[in-house]
C-alpha cells in the first residue's frame, strides 16, 4: 500500500484519522490501543499505523468476515469458555428428569451441547450450579432447583445427579467444568429457596428485579462458603465461578451513616470472597477461583465508565482480588461496544497480575430480540482481545450454538486448533511433572489393520498428545496438538499412509506440563496394505491358485460392506470403484471348504 505525504500528515496528527484510509472496522480495531498511544513518540505511531493499515486494508478486500483477520494460528494456551444457564431452563435442560426416559433425554441434550462445543475447541464450561438459592445437585444445604424436574425441591428419578453427569461428560472431552454460583440473588420472594433462607434467619431485601441476600450480614459469607465447599468436596469440579458477587442494582447508595461507606461495602464483598477462597483452597488448592465482575473496573484516565463500574458502583474489587491471590481467573462481563469495550480490555490485562482474564462476550446481542449487534462487531472483539492475551467466554451457550449470524461457524474457524488452559504458575513450590515413559520399547506401535497405537506409563492425571510430520514434534505449536487434557495412558489413531511423529506430555492439576516423550521412529505403514488405484484392487499371486468363489469386503470393525465375485478373466483384479474412501478388510470365501479367511487390508484414498 502506498501512503501519500498528505496521508502521512493525517496519520501523524491523530491516530484515529486512519479511518480516512481504511473502513470503520480498522478504526475500531485501533480503539483498544488508544490508551497507549499518548505514551508513544510520533514516529512510532506512524510506523505502527502504516503497518496495520497495509495489513488490514488488504484483508478488507476479502469480504468474507471469517477470513479477514485469520493472520496467525491460535495460541496453545487460552481460556475458551461458555456460560451454560440453567435458570428457567434457558440453555439446559429443556426436558425434565422425572422418569428414566426423561433422564436419558436430559442427558442426550447435554451430550449434544458438549459435542458442539468440543467441535469448536471450547475448553471450559461454566455451568450454573447454584441457581437462585437452589441447586442442580443433591445438596445438604439448599433445595433442588425447579429446572431439573419442573418442581422446586423435587429430586430427579433414579438418584440421577445432573452435576456429576455434566462433569464426567466434560472431562471425557478434555474440557474443564466450573461450577457457576449465583451468590447474592435468591430469586422470587415466594420461591422455596428464598423462603428457606428467611427461615434460617437471613435478611432478604426485595427489589423490582427480585430478592437478594444482604452482603453486609456477617453470617452470609460463611453460608455461601459452605455451599462452595460442599460442591468442591463432593465433585471433581475444576473451578468455582462466582456470579453476582456484588451489591445488587437498585440497592441504595451509601449514606455514610452507621458506617455505610463505599469502603465498608467493598470490605463486605471481599469478606465473602475471602471466606469462599479459604474453604475451597483448603480442600483442593488446584480448583480455580474466579468471578464475573462488571465489565468496567473503574473510570480510566481518558475513558469514563459512565457511572457504572465494578469498583465504585457495585463494590467489586476484582483487580485487587487477583493481586491478593483471592482469584485465579476473571471473566469480566464486557457486554459493551467501542470505547466502552476496548480500553477496558487493556485495563483488565494491565492489572491482571499475570493471571487469567477472559473477556465476557455479549453473544446474546446477536439475537435481534436482545440487541442490534452484528457478527463483525463480536468477531472484532474476539480478535483484539486475543491479541491482548485475553481468553474469551460467550454469554450464553444457546446464542452461540444457535449460530446467530454465523457466530458458531466463526468460532470454529477462530479456534483453528485445540488449546490447553493456562497453567496456574502463581502457585509456588509445585514440582514439574515427570516425562512419561513408553509402555513398551517404543511409544508407538502399528496393529494388523494399520492403526497407530500410543502407549505410555505415568502417574500424572492428564496428558497432552501431539502429532507432526517432522521430528522432533514441536509441542509449542498448537497446530500439532491432537488431544488436550487426555486422561488415559493409551491412544489409538485411524490408519494412515502418511509419515507421522508423536509426542506425549504429562500435565498436573495446576496445568504444568512436562517435557515431551518423543516417538523414536515415525509411524509409517509399509507394505501392509494391498495395492489399488481406487478402481482396481490387486490380488497377490500367492492367493490366485486358491479355490476362492467370492470376496467379502468389511470395515475395520467387521461390518459387512459388499460381496465381490471372483473375476473369470482377470482373477487378480477386483473392481472396488464403488467403495468410498476409507480402510477395509478383505476376506476370501471358499464354497468347497465352506470357510472364509481374512486375507489382508486395503485403503481407498482418491483425490
Amino acid at each position: 500500500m502506498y501512503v501519500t505525504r498528505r496521508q502521512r500528515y493525517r496519520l501523524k496528527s491523530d491516530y484515529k484519522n486512519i479511518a480516512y484510509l481504511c473502513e470503520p472496522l480498522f478504526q475500531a480495531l485501533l480503539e483498544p490501543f488508544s490508551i497507549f498511544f499518548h505514551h508513544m513518540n510520533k514516529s512510532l505511531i506512524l510506523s505502527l499505523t502504516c503497518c496495520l493499515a497495509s495489513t488490514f486494508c488488504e484483508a478488507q478486500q476479502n469480504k468474507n468476515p471469517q477470513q479477514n483477520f485469520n493472520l496467525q494460528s491460535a495460541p496453545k494456551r487460552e481460556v475458551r469458555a461458555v456460560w451454560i444457564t440453567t435458570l428457567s431452563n434457558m440453555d439446559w435442560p429443556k426436558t425434565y428428569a422425572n422418569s428414566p426416559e426423561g433422564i436419558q433425554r436430559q442427558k442426550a441434550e447435554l451430550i449434544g451441547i458438549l459435542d458442539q462445543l468440543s467441535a469448536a475447541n471450547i475448553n471450559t464450561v461454566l455451568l450454573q450450579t447454584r441457581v437462585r438459592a437452589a441447586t442442580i445437585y443433591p445438596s445438604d444445604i439448599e433445595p433442588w432447583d425447579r429446572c431439573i424436574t419442573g418442581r422446586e425441591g423435587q429430586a430427579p428419578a433414579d438418584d440421577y445427579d445432573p452435576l456429576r453427569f455434566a462433569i464426567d461428560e466434560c472431562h471425557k472431552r478434555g474440557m474443564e467444568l466450573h461450577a457457576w454460583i449465583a451468590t447474592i440473588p435468591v430469586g422470587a420472594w415466594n420461591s422455596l429457596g428464598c423462603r428457606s433462607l428467611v427461615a434460617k434467619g437471613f435478611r432478604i431485601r426485595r427489589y423490582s428485579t427480585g430478592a437478594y441476600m444482604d452482603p453486609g450480614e456477617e453470617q452470609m459469607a460463611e453460608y455461601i462458603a459452605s455451599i462452595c465447599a460442599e460442591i468442591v468436596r463432593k465433585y471433581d469440579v475444576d473451578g468455582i465461578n462466582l456470579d453476582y458477587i456484588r451489591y445488587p442494582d437498585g440497592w441504595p447508595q451509601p449514606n455514610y451513616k452507621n458506617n455505610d461507606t463505599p469502603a465498608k461495602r467493598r470490605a463486605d464483598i471481599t469478606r465473602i470472597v475471602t471466606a469462599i477462597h479459604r474453604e475451597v483452597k483448603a480442600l483442593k488448592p488446584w480448583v480455580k477461583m474466579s468471578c464475573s465482575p462488571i465489565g468496567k473496573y473503574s473510570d480510566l484516565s481518558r475513558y469514563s465508565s459512565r457511572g457504572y463500574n465494578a469498583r465504585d458502583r457495585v463494590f467489586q474489587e476484582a483487580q485487587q482480588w487477583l493481586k491478593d491471590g483471592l482469584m485465579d481467573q476473571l471473566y469480566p462481563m464486557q457486554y459493551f461496544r467501542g470505547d466502552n469495550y476496548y480500553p477496558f480490555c487493556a485495563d483488565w490485562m494491565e492489572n491482571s497480575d499475570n493471571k487469567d482474564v477472559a473477556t465476557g462476550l455479549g453473544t446474546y446481542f446477536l439475537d435481534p430480540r436482545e440487541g442490534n449487534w452484528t457478527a463483525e462487531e463480536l468477531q472484532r472483539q474476539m480478535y483484539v482481545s486475543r491479541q491482548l492475551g485475553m481468553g474469551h467466554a460467550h454469554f450464553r451457550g444457546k446464542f452461540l450454538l444457535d449460530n446467530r449470524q454465523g457466530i458458531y461457524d466463526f468460532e470454529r474457524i477462530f479456534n483453528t486448533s485445540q488449546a490447553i488452559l493456562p497453567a496456574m504458575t502463581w502457585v509456588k513450590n509445585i514440582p514439574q511433572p515427570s516425562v512419561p515413559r513408553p509402555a513398551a520399547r517404543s511409544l508407538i506401535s502399528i496393529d494388523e489393520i494399520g492403526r497407530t497405537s500410543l502407549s505410555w506409563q505415568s502417574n500424572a492425571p492428564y496428558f497432552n498428545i501431539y502429532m507432526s510430520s517432522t521430528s522432533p514434534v514441536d509441542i509449542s505449536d498448537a497446530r500439532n496438538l491432537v488431544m488436550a487434557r487426555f486422561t488415559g495412558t493409551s491412544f489409538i489413531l485411524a490408519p494412515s499412509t502418511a509419515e507421522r511423529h508423536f509426542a506425549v506430555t504429562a500435565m498436573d492439576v495446576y496445568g504444568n506440563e512436562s517435557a515431551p516423550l518423543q516417538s523414536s521412529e515415525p509411524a509409517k505403514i509399509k507394505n501392509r496394505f494391498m495395492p489399488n488405484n481406487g478402481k482396481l484392487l490387486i490380488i497377490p499371486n500367492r492367493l490366485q491358485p486358491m479355490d476362492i468363489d467370492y470376496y467379502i469386503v468389511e470395515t475395520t470393525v467387521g461390518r459387512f460392506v459388499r460381496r465381490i465375485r471372483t473375476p473369470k478373466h482377470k482373477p487378480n483384479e477386483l473392481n472396488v470403484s464403488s467403495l468410498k474412501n476409507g480402510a477395509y478388510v478383505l476376506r476370501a470365501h471358499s464354497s468347497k471348504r465352506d470357510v472364509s479367511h481374512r486375507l489382508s487390508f486395503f485403503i481407498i484414498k482418491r483425490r
Side-chain angles (χ1 to χ4, degrees):
M1 173 184 174
Y2 177 73
V3 183
T4 66
R5 180 177 298 177
R6 182 179 180 184
Q7 289 168 333
R8 287 177 184 272
Y9 175 79
R10 286 175 174 171
L11 287 172
K12 286 182 179 180
S13 63
D14 184 353
Y15 86 95
K16 281 195 174 181
N17 283 337
I18 197 70
Y20 285 99
L21 302 178
C22 304
E23 295 185 28
L25 172 60
F26 178 60
Q27 182 181 1
L29 279 166
L30 282 177
E31 284 177 345
F33 303 103
S34 61
I35 62 174
F36 303 125
F37 277 15
H38 68 282
H39 297 300
M40 299 180 182
N41 60 50
K42 291 183 178 181
S43 62
L44 181 57
I45 294 175
L46 178 61
S47 300
L48 174 63
T49 50
C50 287
C51 176
L52 289 173
S54 177
T55 301
F56 289 115
C57 284
E58 181 178 348
Q60 277 295 90
Q61 293 175 6
N62 181 353
K63 293 302 181 182
N64 183 347
Q66 295 179 346
Q67 297 175 357
N68 278 355
F69 306 110
N70 199 8
L71 303 177
Q72 61 182 13
S73 61
K76 174 183 168 179
R77 287 188 180 266
E78 185 177 54
V79 177
R80 301 169 183 171
V82 173
W83 278 285
I84 301 295
T85 308
T86 56
L87 174 66
S88 301
N89 306 89
M90 289 185 183
D91 291 331
W92 176 80
K94 297 295 185 181
T95 55
Y96 294 130
N98 294 319
S99 65
E101 295 75 20
I103 291 171
Q104 292 307 312
R105 286 194 296 270
Q106 194 171 105
K107 287 181 175 180
E109 281 181 40
L110 185 61
I111 288 172
I113 290 171
L114 297 181
D115 282 346
Q116 282 187 274
L117 296 179
S118 179
N121 287 324
I122 296 295
N123 57 22
T124 304
V125 171
L126 306 168
L127 178 64
Q128 193 169 29
T129 302
R130 185 192 192 229
V131 188
R132 291 291 186 268
T135 68
I136 66 165
Y137 69 93
S139 171
D140 296 328
I141 303 172
E142 293 193 317
W144 281 94
D145 189 78
R146 70 188 314 145
C147 69
I148 300 300
T149 63
R151 297 186 63 179
E152 292 180 303
Q154 179 175 310
D158 297 344
D159 295 323
Y160 162 58
D161 188 334
L163 178 57
R164 191 173 304 281
F165 176 75
I167 292 169
D168 291 344
E169 290 299 317
C170 282
H171 289 176
K172 286 179 185 178
R173 294 161 177 78
M175 297 175 175
E176 289 193 355
L177 185 140
H178 295 208
W180 161 13
I181 309 298
T183 53
I184 308 297
V186 295
W189 178 255
N190 62 349
S191 67
L192 177 59
C194 184
R195 297 199 314 270
S196 299
L197 290 174
V198 172
K200 292 174 182 177
F202 287 99
R203 293 197 304 265
I204 305 299
R205 303 277 289 268
R206 282 193 290 179
Y207 296 98
S208 60
T209 53
Y212 300 88
M213 300 184 78
D214 186 346
E217 191 170 14
E218 289 290 334
Q219 62 177 331
M220 186 204 155
E222 297 304 325
Y223 180 77
I224 299 297
S226 69
I227 295 171
C228 295
E230 178 184 55
I231 294 169
V232 173
R233 186 182 300 109
K234 286 185 174 182
Y235 298 96
D236 188 21
V237 294
D238 304 288
I240 294 291
N241 176 250
L242 304 179
D243 180 35
Y244 221 106
I245 183 70
R246 59 186 176 92
Y247 269 81
D249 296 325
W251 203 281
Q253 286 298 294
N255 58 21
Y256 295 89
K257 298 178 181 179
N258 300 317
N259 199 27
D260 183 16
T261 65
K264 171 60 167 56
R265 291 195 178 185
R266 283 190 283 270
D268 290 338
I269 302 299
T270 298
R271 186 184 70 256
I272 301 170
V273 172
T274 301
I276 297 170
H277 176 273
R278 181 174 59 249
E279 292 289 332
V280 168
K281 296 297 184 177
L283 291 166
K284 298 175 183 176
W286 58 87
V287 170
K288 296 171 183 172
M289 281 284 299
S290 70
C291 70
S292 304
I294 298 299
K296 306 171 189 178
Y297 182 65
S298 62
D299 288 337
L300 305 179
S301 60
R302 296 181 59 188
Y303 293 91
S304 169
S305 64
R306 304 175 192 268
Y308 192 67
N309 63 55
R311 184 182 185 276
D312 303 314
R313 180 64 181 83
V314 296
F315 312 108
Q316 296 172 304
E317 288 195 288
Q319 291 182 356
Q320 189 62 44
W321 298 338
L322 286 176
K323 295 179 175 65
D324 292 343
L326 296 175
M327 289 287 161
D328 301 301
Q329 296 179 319
L330 293 182
Y331 294 85
M333 300 182 294
Q334 296 187 272
Y335 311 147
F336 309 107
R337 294 185 284 190
D339 287 352
N340 291 307
Y341 178 82
Y342 296 107
F344 295 92
C345 282
D347 178 60
W348 286 114
M349 290 307 296
E350 279 188 335
N351 294 279
S352 68
D353 197 45
N354 295 317
K355 295 185 175 72
D356 303 337
V357 179
T359 179
L361 298 169
T363 310
Y364 65 105
F365 284 132
L366 297 178
D367 188 323
R369 292 169 295 184
E370 302 286 344
N372 61 353
W373 285 26
T374 65
E376 288 76 11
E377 289 177 299
L378 198 68
Q379 292 167 15
R380 190 181 311 144
Q381 291 186 354
M382 293 170 68
Y383 277 115
V384 173
S385 60
R386 172 176 283 178
Q387 197 67 30
L388 289 171
M390 306 178 83
H392 65 276
H394 290 277
F395 187 80
R396 311 180 332 256
K398 174 178 170 55
F399 297 99
L400 173 67
L401 298 182
D402 282 353
N403 203 22
R404 297 289 179 181
Q405 300 187 42
I407 190 60
Y408 176 76
D409 294 337
F410 174 78
E411 181 76 23
R412 296 189 65 170
I413 294 172
F414 186 67
N415 300 331
T416 55
S417 57
Q418 294 189 46
I420 303 170
L421 274 299
M424 300 170 69
T425 54
W426 48 90
V427 181
K428 304 302 181 184
N429 301 318
I430 304 299
Q432 188 76 4
S434 299
V435 180
R437 305 177 306 279
R441 289 188 302 173
S442 174
L443 170 64
I444 61 175
S445 62
I446 299 176
D447 65 17
E448 59 183 4
I449 62 173
R451 296 179 302 182
T452 300
S453 297
L454 311 181
S455 298
W456 62 91
Q457 295 177 340
S458 175
N459 294 324
Y462 309 115
F463 303 94
N464 302 314
I465 302 170
Y466 301 84
M467 180 179 70
S468 174
S469 59
T470 60
S471 179
V473 179
D474 181 4
I475 67 168
S476 67
D477 189 340
R479 293 172 296 183
N480 294 332
L481 185 60
V482 175
M483 184 67 190
R485 214 169 181 268
F486 184 66
T487 55
T489 55
S490 62
F491 192 76
I492 300 176
L493 293 97
S496 172
T497 56
E499 182 172 301
R500 301 182 292 184
H501 302 264
F502 295 91
V504 176
T505 61
M507 190 168 68
D508 64 20
V509 291
Y510 297 95
N512 299 305
E513 191 175 24
S514 74
L517 167 63
Q518 298 273 0
S519 55
S520 56
E521 58 185 23
K524 185 173 183 180
I525 302 166
K526 298 180 180 179
N527 302 321
R528 288 179 174 267
F529 293 94
M530 299 174 69
N532 71 88
N533 61 6
K535 296 180 180 179
L536 296 176
L537 180 69
I538 308 303
I539 304 298
N541 292 329
R542 62 183 173 83
L543 299 178
Q544 293 179 30
M546 298 175 63
D547 50 352
I548 299 173
D549 302 294
Y550 58 85
Y551 295 90
I552 299 171
V553 179
E554 298 176 343
T555 66
T556 56
V557 294
R559 186 181 302 122
F560 176 84
V561 177
R562 64 168 298 186
R563 178 186 296 182
I564 303 176
R565 286 284 177 185
T566 304
K568 294 182 179 180
H569 301 296
K570 293 184 177 181
N572 65 325
E573 294 182 358
L574 298 185
N575 186 343
V576 293
S577 59
S578 63
L579 298 180
K580 297 179 181 179
N581 286 354
Y584 298 94
V585 177
L586 185 69
R587 302 181 69 91
H589 184 269
S590 170
S591 298
K592 182 177 180 180
R593 302 177 187 177
D594 194 25
V595 294
S596 64
H597 298 283
R598 185 173 62 188
L599 300 181
S600 190
F601 311 87
F602 64 96
I603 290 180
I604 302 293
K605 187 178 180 181
R606 306 182 188 92
R607 296 188 181 278

